Amino acid sequence: MERAPQPVREMLALLRESGHTPYLVGGCVRDALLGREPADWDITTSASPYEVKALFSRTIDTGIQHGTVTVMLGKEGFEVTTYRVDGEYEDCRHPKEVQFTKSLLEDLKRRDFTINAMAYSHETGIVDEFEGMEDLKRRVIRCVGCAKDRFTEDALRILRAVRFAAQLDFVIEDETYKAIAEIAPNLVHVSKERIQVELTKLLLSDHPEKIWMVDATGIAEYVTPGFTEVFERELESRSSRDPLKECCAGIAALPADKSHRWAGFLRHMTAEQAVKILRGLKLDNDTIGNVKNMITAFQAPLAVDKVEIRRLLSRVTEYQFLGAMQLKKLDGDETVPGILRLFEEIK
């Protein structure tokens, strides 16, 4: 945690000097302990949102009703959130109201997974009330407290569990896994955009093949119309002992961008079916267009012939053409090296 950026260290120092108790919290603590570079440096503090605003010259009321203020230092923004206790969750996503508290422990209790419920300050070191460090060592995703309660409060946590398992290459603890399957129907209350963000992060991870868990846990039924058919199509053509895992294997070999990974996952659907799924998930038009053309070109018969290659290139971009070749290679098409050799000559 000593690697925290200088602006973050200065914020922590100013909060302490002003009589408040700040901690780094959540993902940045987890990632630092894993030796990963944190994407965000979030701070939790005993200071109220208005006390935070009084200390810093440039702030944004990101979610002030829930205690969160974004402090702007230069062009960077850092979230500072007051210790809080969540009230009743009425929409399976957000608490109706929150109460601010002076207790760090009460704040940590409301968080989703043990590995995200740790805090750190230079004075105290790691605060780990729920054995998050042990779960990091065991490489386990486990809910704080009762898994059914955590998922009932916020159904998006169901997908977050699978996404973290993929990003960190962890396993999901048994009770947490069972609760995912039981509470999965609550995903109907989560917006398609938020579901898509989690699935995209999963597919862009180092272990996108773990998307098989979305079907195995029953989540797929609540993602968007047609999503379960992606897995059904694969299962029909495979006879291995672990067909779900097999059908998703290999996606990690594709470039880690949205178009390639979504095209890889959907490559055995028709282009029209893929477009319907991606539109249902509110993907951007550029990605949808890329995926459609990659799948169309992937599924089209293509000889090792310059005329045919030129004909295909007249209908798709070079990026989409190369993406389609990646998909063919993924499925073991032995003509790909020859096609790419002629492509280089054509260029």
Side-chain angles (χ1 to χ4, degrees), residues 147-205:
K148 286 170 60 176
D149 289 347
R150 297 293 82 77
F151 292 141
T152 299
E153 290 166 351
D154 181 356
L156 188 63
R157 290 170 173 168
I158 293 167
L159 269 172
R160 281 169 58 85
V162 179
R163 188 254 291 181
F164 280 125
Q167 287 182 323
L168 303 175
D169 194 21
F170 281 20
V171 298
I172 300 176
E173 177 261 344
D174 286 347
E175 289 305 312
T176 300
Y177 193 90
K178 291 175 185 175
I180 288 173
E182 183 174 343
I183 310 299
N186 282 8
L187 278 168
V188 297
H189 301 291
V190 179
S191 74
K192 298 304 182 187
E193 291 89 343
R194 295 307 301 269
I195 289 174
Q196 178 267 119
V197 167
E198 292 298 323
L199 289 173
T200 296
K201 287 180 179 179
L202 194 167
L203 286 171
L204 292 177
S205 74

Side-chain angles (χ1 to χ4, degrees), residues 254-266:
L254 298 171
D257 68 59
K258 286 195 294 184
S259 296
H260 281 90
R261 293 289 174 89
W262 274 110
F265 176 61
L266 298 170

